[in-house]
Amino acid sequence: MYNLNFFMFAITRFISIIGSSISYIGIYWVISLSYSEFVVSLLTFTFFLTRFISFTFLGPFADRYRSDKIIINTMVFRFILLLFVGLLFSFFELPTIFVFLVIVLQILPESLSNVSSTKIIPQIVEDKNLTQANSLLNFMNNFSMFLGMVIGGFLISFISLKGLFFLQAICYLIGVLLFKAVKLKGNQQTENRVVKKYIVEWKEGLVYIKENKWLLGLIAMAISANISIAPITFILAPYAINILNGDSLTFTMLENALLIGGLLSSLFLAKFNINRLSLIYILSCLFQGIVMLVFGLSSGLVVSLICLLFIGIAVTVFNIPFTTLIQRNVEINNMGRIRSVTMAITSVISLISFVLGGIITTYIGIQNTLILFSILGTISTIVVLLHKPFSSLEITNKKVINSNF
Protein backbone atom coordinates (compact mmCIF):
# COMPACT_ATOMS: atom_id res chain seq x y z
CA MET A 1 0.00 0.00 0.00
CA TYR A 2 2.72 2.46 0.90
CA ASN A 3 4.16 2.81 -2.60
CA LEU A 4 5.56 6.00 -4.03
CA ASN A 5 2.40 6.79 -6.02
CA PHE A 6 0.17 6.59 -2.96
CA PHE A 7 2.65 8.59 -0.88
CA MET A 8 2.86 11.42 -3.43
CA PHE A 9 -0.92 11.50 -3.89
CA ALA A 10 -1.48 11.63 -0.12
CA ILE A 11 1.03 14.47 0.30
CA THR A 12 -0.60 16.35 -2.59
CA ARG A 13 -4.01 16.08 -0.92
CA PHE A 14 -2.53 17.06 2.45
CA ILE A 15 -0.98 20.28 1.17
CA SER A 16 -3.94 21.32 -1.02
CA ILE A 17 -6.45 20.81 1.84
CA ILE A 18 -4.25 22.85 4.18
CA GLY A 19 -4.34 25.64 1.60
CA SER A 20 -8.12 25.57 1.17
CA SER A 21 -8.67 25.44 4.95
CA ILE A 22 -6.36 28.39 5.53
CA SER A 23 -8.42 30.70 3.32
CA TYR A 24 -11.75 29.19 4.40
CA ILE A 25 -11.34 30.25 8.03
CA GLY A 26 -10.31 33.75 6.93
CA ILE A 27 -13.25 34.11 4.54
CA TYR A 28 -15.71 32.82 7.14
CA TRP A 29 -14.36 35.29 9.71
CA VAL A 30 -14.56 38.28 7.36
CA ILE A 31 -18.11 37.41 6.26
CA SER A 32 -19.24 36.88 9.88
CA LEU A 33 -17.92 40.32 10.84
CA SER A 34 -19.52 42.05 7.86
CA TYR A 35 -23.04 40.56 7.71
CA SER A 36 -25.92 39.63 9.99
CA GLU A 37 -26.67 36.05 11.03
CA PHE A 38 -29.51 35.92 8.48
CA VAL A 39 -27.23 36.90 5.61
CA VAL A 40 -24.57 34.41 6.74
CA SER A 41 -27.24 31.68 6.80
CA LEU A 42 -28.39 32.71 3.33
CA LEU A 43 -24.83 32.54 2.02
CA THR A 44 -24.38 29.12 3.63
CA PHE A 45 -27.56 27.95 1.89
CA THR A 46 -26.18 29.25 -1.41
CA PHE A 47 -22.94 27.34 -0.83
CA PHE A 48 -24.75 24.02 -0.24
CA LEU A 49 -27.05 24.63 -3.22
CA THR A 50 -24.10 25.29 -5.55
CA ARG A 51 -22.33 22.23 -4.21
CA PHE A 52 -25.40 20.08 -4.82
CA ILE A 53 -25.76 21.33 -8.41
CA SER A 54 -22.06 20.71 -9.08
CA PHE A 55 -22.10 17.13 -7.79
CA THR A 56 -25.36 16.37 -9.59
CA PHE A 57 -24.08 17.15 -13.07
CA LEU A 58 -20.29 16.69 -13.06
CA GLY A 59 -20.28 12.86 -13.02
CA PRO A 60 -20.05 12.31 -16.81
CA PHE A 61 -17.07 14.68 -17.01
CA ALA A 62 -15.26 12.73 -14.28
CA ASP A 63 -15.79 9.52 -16.29
CA ARG A 64 -15.02 11.07 -19.67
CA TYR A 65 -11.53 12.38 -18.90
CA ARG A 66 -8.47 10.95 -17.17
CA SER A 67 -8.53 11.40 -13.40
CA ASP A 68 -4.91 12.55 -13.16
CA LYS A 69 -5.45 15.31 -15.75
CA ILE A 70 -8.63 16.47 -13.99
CA ILE A 71 -6.86 16.80 -10.66
CA ILE A 72 -3.91 18.69 -12.13
CA ASN A 73 -6.08 21.04 -14.21
CA THR A 74 -8.42 21.86 -11.32
CA MET A 75 -5.44 22.71 -9.08
CA VAL A 76 -3.95 24.89 -11.83
CA PHE A 77 -7.30 26.69 -12.24
CA ARG A 78 -7.53 27.39 -8.50
CA PHE A 79 -3.90 28.54 -8.41
CA ILE A 80 -4.55 31.09 -11.18
CA LEU A 81 -7.88 32.16 -9.63
CA LEU A 82 -6.44 32.78 -6.16
CA LEU A 83 -3.36 34.52 -7.52
CA PHE A 84 -5.61 36.84 -9.53
CA VAL A 85 -7.93 37.48 -6.55
CA GLY A 86 -4.98 38.20 -4.29
CA LEU A 87 -3.69 40.78 -6.76
CA LEU A 88 -7.15 42.37 -7.03
CA PHE A 89 -7.32 42.76 -3.25
CA SER A 90 -3.83 44.26 -3.30
CA PHE A 91 -4.77 47.11 -5.63
CA PHE A 92 -8.52 47.64 -5.16
CA GLU A 93 -11.03 47.97 -2.33
CA LEU A 94 -13.51 45.21 -3.09
CA PRO A 95 -16.87 44.55 -1.36
CA THR A 96 -17.00 41.68 1.12
CA ILE A 97 -19.49 39.74 -1.01
CA PHE A 98 -16.69 39.32 -3.55
CA VAL A 99 -14.93 37.15 -0.97
CA PHE A 100 -17.89 34.76 -0.95
CA LEU A 101 -17.80 34.58 -4.75
CA VAL A 102 -14.24 33.24 -4.48
CA ILE A 103 -15.61 30.26 -2.53
CA VAL A 104 -18.41 29.69 -5.05
CA LEU A 105 -16.01 29.76 -8.01
CA GLN A 106 -13.93 27.04 -6.37
CA ILE A 107 -16.85 24.67 -5.72
CA LEU A 108 -17.02 23.14 -9.21
CA PRO A 109 -13.28 22.39 -9.64
CA GLU A 110 -13.04 21.18 -6.05
CA SER A 111 -16.06 18.89 -6.48
CA LEU A 112 -14.67 17.50 -9.75
CA SER A 113 -11.30 16.93 -8.08
CA ASN A 114 -12.91 15.10 -5.13
CA VAL A 115 -14.82 12.73 -7.41
CA SER A 116 -11.70 12.05 -9.49
CA SER A 117 -9.69 11.36 -6.33
CA THR A 118 -12.04 8.46 -5.55
CA LYS A 119 -11.14 7.01 -8.96
CA ILE A 120 -7.42 7.54 -8.44
CA ILE A 121 -7.09 5.27 -5.37
CA PRO A 122 -7.92 1.92 -7.07
CA GLN A 123 -5.36 2.77 -9.75
CA ILE A 124 -2.45 3.26 -7.32
CA VAL A 125 -3.38 0.83 -4.51
CA GLU A 126 -4.02 -2.92 -4.58
CA ASP A 127 -7.63 -3.99 -4.04
CA LYS A 128 -6.87 -5.76 -0.75
CA ASN A 129 -5.43 -2.52 0.70
CA LEU A 130 -8.23 -0.14 -0.31
CA THR A 131 -9.76 0.07 3.18
CA GLN A 132 -6.44 0.92 4.79
CA ALA A 133 -5.55 3.42 2.06
CA ASN A 134 -8.90 5.22 2.35
CA SER A 135 -8.57 5.26 6.15
CA LEU A 136 -5.11 6.80 6.02
CA LEU A 137 -6.27 9.40 3.49
CA ASN A 138 -9.28 10.21 5.65
CA PHE A 139 -6.97 10.73 8.63
CA MET A 140 -4.66 13.00 6.64
CA ASN A 141 -7.62 14.94 5.19
CA ASN A 142 -9.10 15.62 8.63
CA PHE A 143 -5.73 16.48 10.15
CA SER A 144 -4.79 18.81 7.29
CA MET A 145 -8.18 20.53 7.53
CA PHE A 146 -7.68 21.05 11.27
CA LEU A 147 -4.09 22.25 10.77
CA GLY A 148 -5.12 24.62 7.98
CA MET A 149 -7.85 26.21 10.10
CA VAL A 150 -5.44 26.68 13.01
CA ILE A 151 -2.85 28.29 10.73
CA GLY A 152 -5.48 30.43 8.99
CA GLY A 153 -7.00 31.59 12.27
CA PHE A 154 -3.53 32.62 13.48
CA LEU A 155 -2.36 34.29 10.26
CA ILE A 156 -5.54 36.27 9.51
CA SER A 157 -4.50 38.77 12.20
CA PHE A 158 -1.05 39.31 10.65
CA ILE A 159 -1.14 38.98 6.85
CA SER A 160 -4.77 39.88 5.99
CA LEU A 161 -7.12 37.96 3.70
CA LYS A 162 -5.18 38.68 0.50
CA GLY A 163 -2.12 37.07 2.10
CA LEU A 164 -4.16 33.94 2.79
CA PHE A 165 -5.22 33.84 -0.88
CA PHE A 166 -1.58 33.97 -1.98
CA LEU A 167 -0.69 31.25 0.53
CA GLN A 168 -3.49 29.02 -0.72
CA ALA A 169 -2.35 29.57 -4.31
CA ILE A 170 1.17 28.51 -3.36
CA CYS A 171 -0.21 25.33 -1.77
CA TYR A 172 -1.98 24.43 -5.02
CA LEU A 173 1.17 25.10 -7.05
CA ILE A 174 3.16 22.77 -4.78
CA GLY A 175 0.35 20.22 -5.12
CA VAL A 176 0.60 20.31 -8.93
CA LEU A 177 4.36 19.75 -8.84
CA LEU A 178 4.05 16.83 -6.41
CA PHE A 179 1.18 15.18 -8.26
CA LYS A 180 3.26 15.08 -11.45
CA ALA A 181 5.13 12.18 -9.83
CA VAL A 182 1.97 10.03 -9.51
CA LYS A 183 1.72 7.29 -12.14
CA LEU A 184 -1.58 5.44 -12.56
CA LYS A 185 -2.16 1.78 -13.30
CA GLY A 186 -4.54 1.59 -16.24
CA ASN A 187 -4.71 5.37 -16.60
CA GLN A 188 -5.72 4.93 -20.24
CA GLN A 189 -9.22 3.75 -19.30
CA THR A 190 -10.85 6.79 -20.92
CA GLU A 191 -9.03 6.65 -24.24
CA ASN A 192 -10.82 3.56 -25.60
CA ARG A 193 -14.15 4.61 -24.16
CA VAL A 194 -17.01 5.50 -26.48
CA VAL A 195 -17.98 9.11 -25.75
CA LYS A 196 -21.72 9.68 -25.88
CA LYS A 197 -23.84 12.77 -25.47
CA TYR A 198 -23.63 14.28 -22.01
CA ILE A 199 -27.31 13.71 -21.15
CA VAL A 200 -27.07 10.07 -22.27
CA GLU A 201 -24.08 9.43 -20.02
CA TRP A 202 -25.77 11.24 -17.13
CA LYS A 203 -28.90 9.07 -17.46
CA GLU A 204 -26.77 5.93 -17.72
CA GLY A 205 -25.37 6.71 -14.29
CA LEU A 206 -28.88 6.79 -12.82
CA VAL A 207 -29.82 3.55 -14.61
CA TYR A 208 -26.68 1.89 -13.25
CA ILE A 209 -27.73 2.76 -9.70
CA LYS A 210 -31.32 1.62 -10.28
CA GLU A 211 -30.20 -1.77 -11.61
CA ASN A 212 -27.88 -2.53 -8.67
CA LYS A 213 -29.83 -3.31 -5.51
CA TRP A 214 -26.77 -3.10 -3.26
CA LEU A 215 -25.97 0.39 -4.57
CA LEU A 216 -29.52 1.58 -3.97
CA GLY A 217 -29.27 0.21 -0.44
CA LEU A 218 -25.91 1.88 0.07
CA ILE A 219 -27.32 5.27 -0.95
CA ALA A 220 -30.57 4.79 1.01
CA MET A 221 -28.62 4.05 4.18
CA ALA A 222 -26.38 7.05 3.52
CA ILE A 223 -29.51 9.22 3.43
CA SER A 224 -30.71 7.69 6.70
CA ALA A 225 -27.36 8.22 8.40
CA ASN A 226 -27.20 11.83 7.20
CA ILE A 227 -30.68 12.47 8.57
CA SER A 228 -29.57 11.20 11.99
CA ILE A 229 -26.58 13.53 12.21
CA ALA A 230 -28.00 16.45 10.19
CA PRO A 231 -28.44 18.81 13.18
CA ILE A 232 -24.69 18.70 13.81
CA THR A 233 -24.18 21.07 10.87
CA PHE A 234 -26.17 23.93 12.41
CA ILE A 235 -26.92 23.26 16.06
CA LEU A 236 -23.60 22.85 17.89
CA ALA A 237 -23.06 26.55 18.58
CA PRO A 238 -26.62 27.13 19.93
CA TYR A 239 -26.30 23.87 21.90
CA ALA A 240 -23.08 25.08 23.54
CA ILE A 241 -24.63 28.42 24.49
CA ASN A 242 -28.22 27.51 25.44
CA ILE A 243 -27.98 23.93 26.72
CA LEU A 244 -24.48 23.85 28.23
CA ASN A 245 -24.46 27.55 29.18
CA GLY A 246 -21.00 27.76 27.62
CA ASP A 247 -19.03 30.10 25.39
CA SER A 248 -16.80 29.94 22.32
CA LEU A 249 -14.39 27.63 24.17
CA THR A 250 -17.24 25.17 24.82
CA PHE A 251 -18.17 25.25 21.15
CA THR A 252 -14.53 24.60 20.18
CA MET A 253 -14.40 21.62 22.53
CA LEU A 254 -17.51 20.12 20.94
CA GLU A 255 -16.11 20.58 17.43
CA ASN A 256 -12.77 19.08 18.44
CA ALA A 257 -14.50 16.04 19.97
CA LEU A 258 -16.00 15.27 16.56
CA LEU A 259 -12.63 15.73 14.88
CA ILE A 260 -10.73 13.59 17.39
CA GLY A 261 -13.27 10.79 17.03
CA GLY A 262 -12.79 10.83 13.28
CA LEU A 263 -9.00 10.82 13.56
CA LEU A 264 -8.98 7.90 16.02
CA SER A 265 -11.26 5.72 13.91
CA SER A 266 -9.24 6.52 10.77
CA LEU A 267 -6.06 5.36 12.45
CA PHE A 268 -7.77 2.18 13.67
CA LEU A 269 -9.08 1.26 10.22
CA ALA A 270 -5.71 2.11 8.65
CA LYS A 271 -3.99 -0.27 11.07
CA PHE A 272 -6.26 -3.26 10.53
CA ASN A 273 -7.38 -4.58 7.15
CA ILE A 274 -11.10 -5.15 7.77
CA ASN A 275 -13.08 -6.92 5.04
CA ARG A 276 -16.64 -7.15 6.47
CA LEU A 277 -17.37 -3.70 5.08
CA SER A 278 -21.11 -4.05 4.54
CA LEU A 279 -21.60 -5.18 8.15
CA ILE A 280 -19.47 -2.33 9.49
CA TYR A 281 -21.42 0.09 7.30
CA ILE A 282 -24.75 -1.12 8.68
CA LEU A 283 -23.61 -1.01 12.31
CA SER A 284 -22.18 2.50 11.93
CA CYS A 285 -25.50 3.78 10.49
CA LEU A 286 -27.45 2.38 13.45
CA PHE A 287 -24.84 3.57 15.94
CA GLN A 288 -25.04 7.16 14.67
CA GLY A 289 -28.77 7.30 15.33
CA ILE A 290 -28.44 5.83 18.83
CA VAL A 291 -25.63 8.16 19.91
CA MET A 292 -27.43 11.20 18.50
CA LEU A 293 -30.46 10.24 20.60
CA VAL A 294 -28.30 10.11 23.74
CA PHE A 295 -26.74 13.44 22.74
CA GLY A 296 -30.21 14.98 22.45
CA LEU A 297 -31.17 13.70 25.89
CA SER A 298 -27.98 14.94 27.56
CA SER A 299 -27.38 18.36 29.06
CA GLY A 300 -23.92 17.95 30.59
CA LEU A 301 -20.58 18.84 29.03
CA VAL A 302 -18.83 15.53 29.72
CA VAL A 303 -21.65 13.39 28.29
CA SER A 304 -21.94 15.71 25.29
CA LEU A 305 -18.22 15.44 24.55
CA ILE A 306 -18.33 11.64 24.80
CA CYS A 307 -21.34 11.50 22.48
CA LEU A 308 -19.67 13.72 19.88
CA LEU A 309 -16.48 11.69 20.14
CA PHE A 310 -18.45 8.54 19.29
CA ILE A 311 -20.36 10.36 16.54
CA GLY A 312 -17.04 11.35 15.00
CA ILE A 313 -15.94 7.71 15.18
CA ALA A 314 -19.20 6.44 13.68
CA VAL A 315 -19.21 8.94 10.81
CA THR A 316 -15.69 7.95 9.76
CA VAL A 317 -16.42 4.22 10.15
CA PHE A 318 -19.42 4.91 7.89
CA ASN A 319 -17.63 6.99 5.25
CA ILE A 320 -14.64 4.70 4.67
CA PRO A 321 -16.62 1.49 3.92
CA PHE A 322 -18.98 3.59 1.79
CA THR A 323 -16.12 4.76 -0.44
CA THR A 324 -14.34 1.38 -0.47
CA LEU A 325 -17.47 -0.56 -1.45
CA ILE A 326 -17.95 1.74 -4.44
CA GLN A 327 -14.28 1.43 -5.45
CA ARG A 328 -14.38 -2.38 -5.25
CA ASN A 329 -17.69 -2.99 -6.95
CA VAL A 330 -18.17 -0.21 -9.51
CA GLU A 331 -16.20 -0.18 -12.76
CA ILE A 332 -13.71 2.65 -13.18
CA ASN A 333 -15.55 4.09 -16.18
CA ASN A 334 -18.78 4.41 -14.17
CA MET A 335 -17.30 5.42 -10.83
CA GLY A 336 -17.30 9.17 -11.45
CA ARG A 337 -21.05 9.27 -12.10
CA ILE A 338 -21.86 7.01 -9.16
CA ARG A 339 -19.66 8.94 -6.76
CA SER A 340 -21.01 12.30 -7.90
CA VAL A 341 -24.61 11.16 -7.38
CA THR A 342 -23.87 9.96 -3.85
CA MET A 343 -22.11 13.22 -2.99
CA ALA A 344 -24.98 15.22 -4.50
CA ILE A 345 -27.41 13.36 -2.27
CA THR A 346 -25.29 14.11 0.78
CA SER A 347 -25.20 17.79 -0.17
CA VAL A 348 -28.96 18.04 -0.69
CA ILE A 349 -29.62 16.35 2.66
CA SER A 350 -27.37 18.95 4.29
CA LEU A 351 -29.19 21.68 2.37
CA ILE A 352 -32.68 20.52 3.36
CA SER A 353 -31.64 19.82 6.95
CA PHE A 354 -30.09 23.25 7.27
CA VAL A 355 -33.35 24.90 6.25
CA LEU A 356 -35.85 22.62 8.00
CA GLY A 357 -33.70 22.13 11.08
CA GLY A 358 -33.55 25.84 11.79
CA ILE A 359 -37.33 26.14 11.45
CA ILE A 360 -38.04 23.05 13.57
CA THR A 361 -35.65 24.20 16.30
CA THR A 362 -37.61 27.44 16.62
CA TYR A 363 -40.78 25.50 17.52
CA ILE A 364 -39.61 22.45 19.50
CA GLY A 365 -36.21 23.49 20.84
CA ILE A 366 -32.64 22.27 20.37
CA GLN A 367 -32.77 18.98 22.27
CA ASN A 368 -36.10 17.88 20.80
CA THR A 369 -34.75 18.61 17.31
CA LEU A 370 -31.75 16.35 18.00
CA ILE A 371 -34.06 13.61 19.27
CA LEU A 372 -36.45 13.95 16.31
CA PHE A 373 -33.71 13.68 13.67
CA SER A 374 -32.06 10.73 15.43
CA ILE A 375 -35.35 8.80 15.58
CA LEU A 376 -36.21 9.54 11.94
CA GLY A 377 -32.74 8.45 10.81
CA THR A 378 -32.78 5.24 12.84
CA ILE A 379 -36.28 4.25 11.68
CA SER A 380 -35.38 4.86 8.03
CA THR A 381 -32.21 2.78 8.46
CA ILE A 382 -34.22 -0.13 9.83
CA VAL A 383 -36.72 0.15 6.97
CA VAL A 384 -33.86 -0.08 4.45
CA LEU A 385 -32.37 -3.10 6.24
CA LEU A 386 -35.68 -4.97 6.06
CA HIS A 387 -35.22 -5.07 2.28
CA LYS A 388 -31.81 -6.82 2.70
CA PRO A 389 -30.03 -4.50 0.26
CA PHE A 390 -26.62 -6.16 0.53
CA SER A 391 -27.72 -9.78 0.09
CA SER A 392 -26.52 -9.86 -3.53
CA LEU A 393 -23.30 -7.92 -2.97
CA GLU A 394 -20.19 -9.90 -3.76
CA ILE A 395 -16.82 -8.33 -3.03
CA THR A 396 -14.03 -9.81 -5.09
CA ASN A 397 -10.33 -9.09 -5.18
CA LYS A 398 -10.42 -8.47 -8.91
CA LYS A 399 -10.96 -4.87 -9.98
CA VAL A 400 -12.80 -4.38 -13.23
CA ILE A 401 -11.00 -1.66 -15.14
CA ASN A 402 -12.83 -1.63 -18.44
CA SER A 403 -16.60 -1.29 -18.49
CA ASN A 404 -18.96 -2.48 -21.21
CA PHE A 405 -21.77 -0.39 -19.78
Side-chain angles (χ1 to χ4, degrees):
M1 181 181 72
Y2 302 104
N3 56 64
L4 178 61
N5 286 328
F6 177 77
F7 176 77
M8 297 304 294
F9 176 72
I11 294 299
T12 299
R13 292 281 297 171
F14 184 81
I15 293 176
S16 62
I17 292 175
I18 284 180
S20 60
S21 300
I22 285 174
S23 67
Y24 166 79
I25 196 69
I27 290 173
Y28 183 80
W29 179 254
V30 169
I31 290 176
S32 298
L33 290 177
S34 304
Y35 296 110
S36 65
E37 293 180 358
F38 172 77
V39 175
V40 173
S41 298
L42 187 62
L43 293 177
T44 304
F45 175 85
T46 304
F47 170 81
F48 279 122
L49 180 61
T50 307
R51 195 167 182 263
F52 164 68
I53 294 172
S54 298
F55 278 128
T56 300
F57 297 106
L58 61 77
F61 295 106
D63 284 333
R64 185 175 293 183
Y65 304 105
R66 285 173 41 166
S67 303
D68 51 350
K69 288 186 177 180
I70 288 176
I71 290 176
I72 288 176
N73 289 333
T74 53
M75 282 195 291
V76 169
F77 171 81
R78 284 179 283 178
F79 165 72
I80 295 173
L81 171 67
L82 291 161
L83 191 63
F84 177 71
V85 170
L87 290 173
L88 282 180
F89 272 92
S90 299
F91 295 103
F92 302 99
E93 290 289 335
L94 299 174
T96 304
I97 192 64
F98 188 82
V99 176
F100 177 73
L101 293 178
V102 175
I103 296 181
V104 174
L105 288 173
Q106 293 186 76
I107 291 176
L108 181 58
E110 185 173 354
S111 301
L112 190 57
S113 178
N114 285 338
V115 172
S116 298
S117 295
T118 302
K119 298 180 64 176
I120 288 282
I121 305 302
Q123 299 178 72
I124 60 176
V125 174
E126 293 183 12
D127 185 85
K128 63 181 181 181
N129 294 321
L130 280 176
T131 303
Q132 291 173 292
N134 286 322
S135 300
L136 186 58
L137 283 174
N138 189 81
F139 172 82
M140 294 184 69
N141 290 347
N142 286 334
F143 183 71
S144 58
M145 188 180 300
F146 170 75
L147 187 61
M149 288 185 177
V150 171
I151 295 173
F154 176 76
L155 291 180
I156 187 64
S157 302
F158 297 97
I159 64 175
S160 76
L161 189 59
K162 66 181 179 183
L164 297 186
F165 286 142
F166 285 131
L167 189 56
Q168 184 181 1
I170 292 171
C171 287
Y172 285 133
L173 179 61
I174 295 172
V176 170
L177 298 175
L178 290 174
F179 191 79
K180 287 286 188 179
V182 177
K183 306 298 181 184
L184 306 187
K185 298 182 299 181
N187 61 356
Q188 305 296 318
Q189 80 272 11
T190 59
E191 296 191 1
N192 297 322
R193 180 174 177 272
V194 177
V195 178
K196 306 173 185 177
K197 290 183 177 180
Y198 169 84
I199 191 64
V200 173
E201 293 188 344
W202 186 77
K203 289 180 178 179
E204 283 182 348
L206 299 180
V207 172
Y208 188 95
I209 294 174
K210 182 180 179 181
E211 292 179 348
N212 286 272
K213 181 181 177 182
W214 72 269
L215 196 50
L216 280 173
L218 195 75
I219 294 174
M221 291 195 68
I223 294 173
S224 301
N226 275 279
I227 291 174
S228 294
I229 64 170
I232 293 294
T233 60
F234 62 85
I235 217 168
L236 278 189
Y239 182 90
I241 297 171
N242 299 312
I243 304 301
L244 300 180
N245 297 316
D247 50 20
S248 59
L249 178 61
T250 308
F251 171 65
T252 303
M253 292 171 66
L254 296 177
E255 288 278 10
N256 285 337
L258 277 172
L259 178 63
I260 292 171
L263 292 175
L264 290 175
S265 54
S266 295
L267 286 177
F268 177 81
L269 291 175
K271 180 68 175 177
F272 302 100
N273 194 9
I274 301 173
N275 291 317
R276 302 281 307 270
L277 295 179
S278 57
L279 177 61
I280 294 174
Y281 185 74
I282 291 170
L283 292 177
S284 66
C285 288
L286 292 171
F287 188 64
Q288 287 179 55
I290 294 171
V291 179
M292 281 295 293
L293 178 61
V294 176
F295 181 52
L297 294 171
S298 67
S299 57
L301 178 60
V302 175
V303 176
S304 299
L305 289 174
I306 293 173
C307 286
L308 289 172
L309 180 72
F310 280 114
I311 291 170
I313 291 173
V315 169
T316 300
V317 173
F318 162 85
N319 285 333
I320 292 171
F322 180 86
T323 301
T324 306
L325 285 169
I326 290 176
Q327 290 170 334
R328 282 183 172 172
N329 296 279
V330 176
E331 297 85 353
I332 288 291
N333 283 343
N334 293 321
M335 196 179 296
R337 281 167 285 180
I338 304 309
R339 186 59 171 152
S340 67
V341 168
T342 59
M343 297 180 83
I345 291 172
T346 302
S347 298
V348 78
I349 292 297
S350 299
L351 182 66
I352 294 172
S353 299
F354 184 82
V355 175
L356 293 182
I359 297 173
I360 293 172
T361 303
T362 304
Y363 290 97
I364 67 174
I366 294 173
Q367 288 179 291
N368 288 332
T369 300
L370 290 167
I371 294 170
L372 175 63
F373 275 83
S374 66
I375 292 175
L376 289 175
T378 303
I379 291 175
S380 57
T381 299
I382 293 173
V383 170
V384 175
L385 287 176
L386 292 176
H387 291 82
K388 299 180 180 180
F390 303 120
S391 59
S392 61
L393 179 61
E394 293 182 2
I395 300 177
T396 66
N397 289 325
K398 181 179 181 181
K399 183 67 190 172
V400 180
I401 297 296
N402 296 309
S403 169
N404 294 322
F405 182 78

